[in-house]
Amino acid sequence: MTNNELNHNKTPPELRAVNDELIAALSAEEPDNIEATLLDIVSRRDAIVQQHLASLSTDDAREFAHNEVPINDKLLELVQTLLDSAKDDITHFMRSRAAVKKYK
């Protein structure tokens, strides 16, 4: 994921900074506690988006929201992929553990 995928011409500076944090967290080679980090960043991102929407006129808010929907869809897809991967890892671990117990 890149800055171009998370930012648009109506992205405020505060949101750009959080998007940069998100990209850095996702591109870390060995992320520490990635789930908690992503939850924190996404929660702050949501708060900034909500606050910014509240400060805009109706037309500007509509345009900003129109630009944010595809970005939110990409983030949702990314998080779902991470969740599915974590589920697969846990399933593999549990099956491996069961196989080890079987051969003890």
Side-chain angles (χ1 to χ4, degrees):
M1 190 161 281
T2 66
N3 282 339
N4 291 339
E5 291 177 290
L6 295 180
N7 296 319
H8 48 82
N9 62 346
K10 299 291 184 181
T11 303
E14 307 85 28
L15 186 55
R16 285 183 189 274
V18 171
N19 289 341
D20 290 343
E21 282 183 60
L22 182 59
I23 291 167
L26 291 171
S27 61
E29 286 188 28
E30 291 187 30
D32 294 331
N33 202 3
I34 188 68
E35 296 85 6
T37 301
L38 286 178
L39 179 60
D40 175 59
I41 295 170
V42 170
S43 295
R44 286 188 290 129
R45 188 180 193 287
D46 180 59
I48 291 169
V49 167
Q50 294 297 327
Q51 183 181 22
H52 187 65
L53 279 170
S55 72
L56 297 173
S57 68
T58 304
D59 290 338
D60 288 341
R62 185 176 296 120
E63 184 178 355
F64 178 78
H66 178 75
N67 289 326
E68 278 296 306
V69 167
I71 294 168
N72 284 332
D73 290 344
K74 284 180 188 177
L75 289 173
L76 180 62
E77 181 180 327
L78 172 73
V79 170
Q80 187 62 48
T81 301
L82 290 172
L83 178 61
D84 292 344
S85 176
K87 285 180 182 178
D88 291 344
D89 290 347
I90 290 171
T91 301
H92 178 72
F93 172 75
M94 296 300 288
R95 288 182 180 156
S96 297
R97 190 170 82 175
V100 167
K101 284 183 180 181
K102 182 179 176 181
Y103 290 106
K104 278 189 176 181

